[in-house]
Amino acid sequence: MNTLVCTEPGHFSYESRPAPTPAPGQALLKIRRIGICGTDLHAFEGTQPFFNYPRVLGHELAGELVDAGGAQGFAVGEAVTFIPYFSCGTCIACRRGLPNCCTRISVCGVHVDGGMAELLAVPADLLVHGEGLSYDELALVEPLAIGAHGVRRAGVQPGEVVLVVGAGPIGLGIMEFARIAGGQVIALDINEQRLAFCREKLGVAQTLNALAPDVREQLAALTGGDMPTVVIDATGSQKAILGAFQYLAHGGRFVLVGLQKGDISFSHPEFHKREATLMSSRNATREDFEHVIRSMKQGLVNPATYITHRVGFEQVKDEFASWLDPATGVIKAMVSL
């Protein structure tokens, strides 16, 4: 089968590899769509933590089921997606129902080879029914589930002001599910094109440019001096994360969905006097996947909005580097097989 391998930062190579033979308990998928995410882009540029080369990227996937691997209720030929976080099932996190942060987690396309290939074998117990959604929609369930999980971690309540820092694909998903939870969303980014996307496509009324010298003052004005009770970072930028501590209301929650390699430092007195909460949000759970699919079917989220670029599998090697450039206006590139 044809496979695209990231051999080292900045380099892809198409390779012919044997088609996988599913082991007991594994299902086999014919890959139909691959969404390109920030993890893939960061791996390509060499800035992704927890990453080794060579690696087959790709974990935002939709496929046709070739072999259900014994999974009950699934039919050959069905359009499906799957949860791409392979957990051990026995560690402290797994025993407490948190397989998304398993101590020995393997993320498809990060720790183990992913779906930039014609066929992929995956654990059958991680299959997710397509529920009549299209391949495009199913390939977007995982990134939206990341946002849904971050919002669930934050415990967003109706009427709360939620500041989402970063208007990339994950940030946009956070905005959608914060809205669905009843939050009043404010988007913060340095890219005016992405802020315009928030306003025009997602209906986010309040958007701020992070490069403005008076962001804190603008937030104070928008919140009657209270500041946002929830701040969620989706940038993975150390500078953005450190700067966002000043935007948090007293008694507020700061959730880190974005990931960066460096340390985080902040003023203990400023944080302490707020009795603030700082937490991370990693991956997603089946509950989040199901919430996303229900929201899609109810028309609360329109995944087609996110797809700005389309390419065939044979074009990925030549096009991929361009998606690192914000000037291309890429929100979500979708690969078809």
Side-chain angles (χ1 to χ4, degrees), residues 59 84-86 105-113 142 282-283:
H59 64 271
Y85 326 122
F86 307 155
I105 200 166
S106 288
V107 178
C108 182
V110 179
H111 305 97
V112 296
D113 284 344
E142 192 272 344
R282 190 177 188 194
N283 300 323

Side-chain angles (χ1 to χ4, degrees), residues 141-221:
V141 170
E142 192 272 344
L144 288 170
I146 297 287
H149 187 73
V151 169
R152 186 155 64 92
R153 285 281 285 155
V156 173
Q157 300 299 309
E160 277 198 289
V161 176
V162 182
L163 174 66
V164 181
V165 186
I170 298 299
L172 297 176
I174 293 169
M175 294 176 205
E176 296 264 59
F177 285 94
R179 170 183 55 78
I180 290 169
Q184 300 178 33
V185 176
I186 302 174
L188 180 68
D189 200 284
I190 61 173
N191 186 320
E192 280 294 343
Q193 188 175 10
R194 287 195 165 183
L195 292 174
F197 186 95
C198 294
R199 293 190 297 270
E200 296 164 9
K201 302 295 186 181
L202 302 190
V204 177
Q206 304 296 342
T207 62
L208 300 176
N209 193 308
L211 298 177
D214 61 343
V215 172
R216 194 180 188 288
E217 289 73 16
Q218 291 186 65
L219 283 170

Side-chain angles (χ1 to χ4, degrees), residues 45-318:
E45 67 182 359
T47 59
Q48 174 63 33
F50 317 131
F51 202 85
N52 295 301
Y53 303 86
R55 179 65 68 221
V56 179
L57 306 181
H59 64 271
E60 297 182 0
L61 303 168
E64 178 185 339
L65 192 58
V66 176
D67 182 342
Q72 297 298 309
F74 287 86
V76 171
E78 181 179 350
V80 297
T81 187
F82 71 100
I83 302 168
Y85 326 122
F86 307 155
S87 55
C88 72
T90 59
C91 74
I92 179 63
C94 289
R95 296 198 310 271
R96 298 181 63 232
L98 303 170
N100 57 299
C101 60
C102 167
T103 62
R104 294 185 288 276
I105 200 166
S106 288
V107 178
C108 182
V110 179
H111 305 97
V112 296
D113 284 344
M116 287 195 179
E118 295 177 280
L119 294 163
L120 182 67
V122 303
D125 61 353
L126 296 181
L127 289 174
V128 177
H129 284 291
E131 300 283 352
L133 298 178
S134 69
Y135 287 126
D136 281 349
E137 291 170 324
L138 288 173
L140 285 163
V141 170
E142 192 272 344
L144 288 170
I146 297 287
H149 187 73
V151 169
R152 186 155 64 92
R153 285 281 285 155
V156 173
Q157 300 299 309
E160 277 198 289
V161 176
V162 182
L163 174 66
V164 181
V165 186
I170 298 299
L172 297 176
I174 293 169
M175 294 176 205
E176 296 264 59
F177 285 94
R179 170 183 55 78
I180 290 169
Q184 300 178 33
V185 176
I186 302 174
L188 180 68
D189 200 284
I190 61 173
N191 186 320
E192 280 294 343
Q193 188 175 10
R194 287 195 165 183
L195 292 174
F197 186 95
C198 294
R199 293 190 297 270
E200 296 164 9
K201 302 295 186 181
L202 302 190
V204 177
Q206 304 296 342
T207 62
L208 300 176
N209 193 308
L211 298 177
D214 61 343
V215 172
R216 194 180 188 288
E217 289 73 16
Q218 291 186 65
L219 283 170
L222 288 172
T223 59
D226 290 338
M227 305 300 284
T229 51
V230 176
V231 176
I232 306 180
D233 176 81
T235 67
S237 160
Q238 185 184 56
K239 182 178 180 181
I241 292 168
L242 297 182
F245 278 91
Q246 66 181 306
Y247 307 143
L248 189 63
H250 282 239
R253 290 98 70 203
F254 190 3
V255 182
L256 303 180
V257 177
L259 176 64
Q260 52 86 39
K261 285 185 172 182
D263 294 336
I264 295 174
S265 60
F266 51 88
S267 167
H268 188 180
E270 287 295 323
F271 190 78
H272 192 94
K273 75 182 185 183
R274 285 170 168 77
E275 197 178 54
T277 300
L278 175 64
M279 66 184 85
S280 61
S281 177
R282 190 177 188 194
N283 300 323
T285 66
R286 183 174 290 275
E287 179 180 350
D288 302 308
F289 276 67
E290 292 172 350
H291 179 33
V292 169
I293 289 172
R294 284 195 305 272
S295 298
M296 286 183 178
K297 293 183 70 175
Q298 293 169 6
L300 299 175
V301 177
N302 178 12
T305 301
Y306 296 82
I307 302 172
T308 55
H309 293 62
R310 291 182 179 274
V311 298
F313 185 56
E314 66 282 353
Q315 299 170 284
V316 176
K317 179 180 176 181
D318 294 331

Side-chain angles (χ1 to χ4, degrees), residues 323-334:
W323 300 330
L324 293 166
D325 182 0
T328 63
V330 64
I331 298 293
K332 178 61 63 179
M334 187 65 70

